[in-house]
Amino acid sequence: MKPEKLLASVVADMGGSDRAGQQEMVRRVAEALDTGGHLIIQAGTGTGKSLGYLAPVASWALKTGSRAIVSTATLALQRQITAADAPAVIAHSGGKLTVAVLKGWHNYACLKRVNEDMRVALPIDGGATDMGEEVNRAREWALTTDTGDRDDLVPGVPDKVWSQISINKQECEGKDCPLIEECFAESARLRAHAADIVVTNHAMLGVHSMGLDLLPHADAVIIDEAHELVGRVTSQLTVRISRRELNRIARMIRSAGASDRVFNRRADALIDVLAERDGRMRRMPEEIREALVGLSEALAAEVEKEQWANAFQADIDTLVSGAGDVVLWARDESLYGAPLDVAGPIADRIFDERAVVLTSATLEIGRSFTPMAVSVGLAFPSQGPWQGIDVGSPFDYQSQGILYIADDLPAPGRGGPSEEMLQRLADLVTASGGGALGLFSSRRAAEVATDYLREVTGLPILCQGEDQLSTLVEEFRADEQVSLFGTISLWQGIDVPGPTCRLVVIDRIPFPRPDDPVASARTELVGKRGGNGFMQISATHAAVLLAQGAGRLLRSRKDRGVVAVLDSRLATQRYGGYLRSSMPPMWPTGDRDIVLGALSRLSQAARGDNPEEFEEPGECEDPPASGASSAEAGPETPPEEESRTNPDQRGEGRREGQDEGMHEDRDAGDGSSP
């Protein structure tokens, strides 16, 4: 069946309607699969991306007998694809395609560990009774389940409990395990090697890019949520040596029947050295190098040919011999090493000699797809030509949403939220009667804003960290007066359609922290190559997050609301146009009174007092926000389509990528970036 007809059949069966962007996506993806092309396709919220690529993938697999790998960043989308979208497409395809899901080691129970002595499985540091019962329940489940997949354990268990019945990739004995024939992870890999469509995640792609052939051969790779790919691969390739890791290795040495005495002495020496270090190191200090080499020698003297030992030795080798290709830093008595660039591994190990489709709602940065192509290696001449297209969104952003930039507020500084910003935030949330999703660049800023608004507005405010995030989101979803404030976990992936979320507030432009070691190293690299490190790294990072954050507002064609950015630099600085051009094209204004009036009418509509809601923003008299012209960094008019054969003419060398994004603990920049 042709992909267009397959899509139409699935959509009709689901009771859906035709969407021009989805239909265009099907045509473009089918063309890339047939020609082995490389395609970057931006599809706005509401397009129906998963069906937009699954229909042509199924049609192509039936026609050619080839296998495709589909990778996502989140477990939620992975479950949606495997449980709903892929089965629906296959049911209408007329063929007998098979789908398999493949996750990392830690997502599967380890039968060898489950069968170990209960003393190993039970927690020993308090709460033994409650946690012990949970561990026993998880162990009993592991002995009866067919999959060993954590998602199939219902109700679920906390991470501490799950860690008692699972292992990470360094601890796995691989083919030497006596229970290899019953191994859940191995069974999942065997199913993947027999499937027509393999659904995995970006972390697994990261492991594969290291040279470990965990994924089956495929003639096509589809990367959904592609804006997350560089960050997830970077995270997966980052080496960390901490006290906890060293204790784990010592335990494994003892389990192998060897002595850990010398290893522990060398481990203590390394921790003592790291205790005096904090932050990025442009070259490895000799005392750290000596401590690492000592650890390696101590391990080699006691243990040979163990997979976990080889993996730890490889981590040490990466840190010691990484030279300029590894970013080194110390923090909290731990040593880290992250790849300076992941474009090469992605291009060489994941994209080379196969059809590639990258898709997301936010791939066009500053009205160009080139930054995305460069960051993932598609811009290498060896990869051949690539195309970047935007199939649009079914939403009418100009009439559904307002982008308010508070250009009269002082620029944010390092001292946390200003009194003026907090008061403006209170004005906005009061006018909207709640229903606000507050996206903050740091945990501290979210907590300060929560305390302030609780005191001056009396409205119910939830703050990330006060409960499980899923619980907080459900409370926010259930009450139209409740607001939810938080950091990175709320900027992406939160889906709350309807009047419950009628105001999204962004406290400041989410530049990387100035002390972020990977971002700073990549910025320096761009500068050495003659580029603008701030624009290519910091501004690109901020543009993606701003687009993702603003995208939390409109989740259906009936939604209306306001995105309020309380950072005046978005309107006053030259890079503001570059950042704004990556955000959804809502109607812009800097007029506080117009926005408060619109929010007041939205509040009345949410309560049922004003069924007509508020007038369409496009009919207002207010001009666009100040500084609305595009910065020099990007063109005035976004191209309908980009094609590049060799967009970067500097040769075959690896290119810099995007930084890995905000960390939950360290959050985003402190506002000191330009």
Side-chain angles (χ1 to χ4, degrees), residues 19 22 43-49 361 392-395 397 554-557:
R19 283 171 276 191
Q22 188 181 54
T45 305
T47 301
K49 293 190 299 299
S393 168
F395 298 163
Y397 287 106
L554 303 179
R555 309 304 298 175
S556 77
R557 283 185 256 194

Side-chain angles (χ1 to χ4, degrees), residues 448-467:
V448 169
T450 298
D451 292 341
Y452 183 90
L453 263 70
R454 283 173 176 169
E455 181 178 350
V456 303
T457 69
L459 291 166
I461 311 290
L462 305 175
C463 188
Q464 185 178 349
E466 295 176 338
D467 204 333

Side-chain angles (χ1 to χ4, degrees), residues 618-651:
E619 298 174 0
C620 298
E621 296 296 329
D622 188 68
S626 61
S629 62
S630 296
E632 293 181 4
E636 281 285 338
T637 305
E640 191 66 29
E641 177 174 326
E642 280 190 63
S643 296
R644 298 287 186 272
T645 302
N646 295 320
D648 191 325
Q649 298 295 334
R650 289 174 292 173

Side-chain angles (χ1 to χ4, degrees), residues 6-187:
L6 179 54
L7 173 70
S9 178
V10 174
V11 169
D13 187 54
M14 290 181 169
S17 57
D18 293 340
R19 283 171 276 191
Q22 188 181 54
Q23 294 169 340
E24 176 68 6
M25 184 174 182
V26 167
R27 289 191 289 271
R28 293 296 189 137
V29 172
E31 179 181 312
L33 293 172
D34 288 339
T35 62
H38 290 175
L39 175 67
I40 299 175
I41 184 163
Q42 180 166 282
T45 305
T47 301
K49 293 190 299 299
S50 56
L51 293 181
Y53 59 72
L54 284 172
V57 162
S59 179
W60 169 81
L62 284 170
K63 179 174 63 177
T64 64
S66 301
R67 177 185 294 116
I69 292 174
V70 176
S71 181
T72 74
T74 61
L75 289 175
L77 181 56
Q78 195 174 63
R79 285 192 290 266
Q80 175 189 319
I81 291 172
T82 56
D85 294 344
V89 170
I90 291 172
H92 286 266
S93 68
K96 295 183 178 180
L97 295 175
T98 56
V99 178
V101 62
L102 184 59
K103 305 176 184 179
W105 289 263
H106 193 59
N107 292 282
Y108 301 98
C110 173
L111 287 174
K112 183 174 183 293
R113 181 155 196 182
V114 167
N115 284 285
E116 287 179 348
D117 192 298
M118 180 63 83
R119 289 174 303 167
V120 177
L122 281 174
I124 60 175
D125 54 349
T129 300
D130 292 341
M131 288 191 66
E133 291 178 356
E134 286 288 272
V135 170
N136 285 333
R137 179 170 70 87
R139 283 164 54 88
E140 292 172 2
W141 167 82
L143 294 172
T144 58
T145 178
D146 293 328
T147 66
D149 189 331
R150 184 176 182 176
D151 281 348
D152 294 339
L153 175 56
V154 180
V157 294
D159 290 345
K160 281 187 176 181
V161 173
W162 183 255
S163 67
Q164 299 294 331
I165 68 166
S166 64
I167 59 174
N168 58 35
K169 64 179 183 293
Q170 289 87 357
E171 295 173 296
C172 179
E173 296 181 12
K175 301 297 183 182
D176 296 328
C177 178
L179 297 178
I180 186 65
E181 297 296 328
E182 303 171 61
C183 175
F184 293 124
E186 183 66 19
S187 296

Side-chain angles (χ1 to χ4, degrees), residues 462-465 467-476 484:
L462 305 175
C463 188
Q464 185 178 349
D467 204 333
Q468 293 187 43
L469 187 59
S470 58
T471 301
L472 294 174
V473 172
E474 286 308 311
E475 290 183 31
F476 175 54
L484 174 59

